[in-house]
């Protein structure tokens, strides 16, 4: 009864019989209401289901995802006496994953392998001798909270990329900036696209006079960002701004599409500081860096798996 007073059931649901009264009238109504709300907010089309499944698998395969999977699986099978040995193995595996991926040496090796590649002179396509007059910046996530200032909607990664893009546009007097970023939720239930939030914040910071801003709002992933930008600008040479960790994967997509880009990495996560004994103590910050790096490696592997013929042709 408290639930009915706090969240009244819509009339169209209360009068329907999607589930039926056999379960018990209050339960039936609430199941129908939940089904109605879920379907209206997140319609389950095949593309949304595949995208959600892809995101879910990616979350599980990083260290911070494998640890709870091992722990919960071990706890689930612990009551089965014949499975106690497997449960102990899973507990030890979760402990080992945290102790390795949470240390500075392991996190640094994973991160610097990507960032060193981003620092190389590698580009995508044959960039002309003359400097490009256009820049493309990829958003890196937002928080869809309506009660916060615009700057707090943007993740630190997105803010770092936008600041780099703004500085580049000012220093080189670029003519156009393309901001790429849509909605990362499976069913697209965002109040505002990432690129639109980024544009609002850039206006607060001050956009250089004469700089044209273009927004890409239909992407959900890095690959979709690059594909949509390709449709927008074609093979026009441009500077490509994204995190150093994300740059190798982004350049892989750009090379496949034939884009002419000059990489401008930013938001470095690696550190060349000399390690000490405390670097072997695991920490959440290092675990996060390992997550980010392995996420990028998985993205590259997934791309080459789907485009194996192209990989063979480039060897």
């Amino acid at each position: 009864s408290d639930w009915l007073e706090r969240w009244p059931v819509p009339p169209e649901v209360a009068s329907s019989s999607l589930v039926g009264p056999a379960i018990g009238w209050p339960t039936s109504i609430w199941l129908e209401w939940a089904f109605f709300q879920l379907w209206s907010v997140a319609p389950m089309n095949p593309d949304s289901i595949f995208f959600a499944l892809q995101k879910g698998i990616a979350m599980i395969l990083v260290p911070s995802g494998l640890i709870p999977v091992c722990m919960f699986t071990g706890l689930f099978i612990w009551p089965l006496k014949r499975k106690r040995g497997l449960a102990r193995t899973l507990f030890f595996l979760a402990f080992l994953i945290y102790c390795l991926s949470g240390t500075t040496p392991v996190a640094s090796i994973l991160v610097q392998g990507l960032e060193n590649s981003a620092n190389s002179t590698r580009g995508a396509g044959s960039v002309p001798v003359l400097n490009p007059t256009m820049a493309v910046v990829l958003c890196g996530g937002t928080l869809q909270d309506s009660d916060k200032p615009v700057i707090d909607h943007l993740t630190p990664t997105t803010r770092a990329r936008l600041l780099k893009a703004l500085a580049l546009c000012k220093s080189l007097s670029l003519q156009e900036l393309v901001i790429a970023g849509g909605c990362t939720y499976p069913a697209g239930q965002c109040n505002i696209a990432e690129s639109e939030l980024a544009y609002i914040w850039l206006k607060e910071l001050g956009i250089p006079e004469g700089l044209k801003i273009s927004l890409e709002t239909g992407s959900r992933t890095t690959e979709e960002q690059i594909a949509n930008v390709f449709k927008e600008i074609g093979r026009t040479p441009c500077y490509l701004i994204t995190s150093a960790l994300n740059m190798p994967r982004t350049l892989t997509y750009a090379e496949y599409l034939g884009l002419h880009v000059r990489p401008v990495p930013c938001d470095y996560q690696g550190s060349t500081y000399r390690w000490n004994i405390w670097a072997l103590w695991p920490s959440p910050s290092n675990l996060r860096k390992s997550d980010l790096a392995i996420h990028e490696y998985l993205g590259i592997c997934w791309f080459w798996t789907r485009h194996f013929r192209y990989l063979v042709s480039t060897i």
Side-chain angles (χ1 to χ4, degrees), residues 153-275:
H153 281 267
L154 306 173
T155 62
T157 297
T158 299
R159 293 199 295 266
R161 296 178 185 182
L162 292 174
L163 289 174
K164 184 68 174 181
L166 189 60
L168 185 70
C169 291
K170 289 180 178 179
S171 62
L172 299 180
S173 300
L174 300 182
Q175 299 176 3
E176 183 176 357
L177 174 64
V178 179
I179 307 174
C183 178
T184 58
Y185 292 94
Q189 62 272 32
C190 296
N191 297 325
I192 185 171
E194 292 183 10
S195 58
E196 293 171 338
L197 279 171
Y199 175 64
I200 294 173
W201 188 54
L202 286 182
K203 285 199 301 183
E204 294 180 356
L205 295 178
I207 297 175
E209 185 177 355
L211 179 64
K212 178 184 175 182
I213 304 290
S214 300
L215 305 180
E216 183 283 312
T217 61
S219 60
R220 299 172 299 181
T221 64
T222 301
E223 186 174 0
E224 290 182 2
Q225 285 176 325
I226 295 297
N228 292 347
V229 167
F230 172 75
K231 295 176 183 178
E232 180 74 20
I233 68 173
R235 289 182 169 83
T236 304
C238 64
Y239 293 101
L240 180 61
I241 305 161
T242 187
S243 301
L245 266 176
N246 182 240
M247 186 61 76
R249 180 159 62 105
T250 305
L251 288 179
T252 299
Y253 299 152
E255 288 176 355
Y256 176 74
L257 294 173
L259 287 172
H260 303 311
V261 301
R262 182 168 296 175
V264 183
C266 62
D267 188 32
Y268 288 87
Q269 301 293 326
S271 174
T272 57
Y273 183 75
R274 178 184 292 182
W275 300 336

Side-chain angles (χ1 to χ4, degrees), residues 43-55:
M44 291 292 104
N45 57 68
D47 182 63
S48 297
I49 294 175
F50 179 77
F51 177 72
L53 182 63
Q54 182 180 349
K55 285 290 185 181

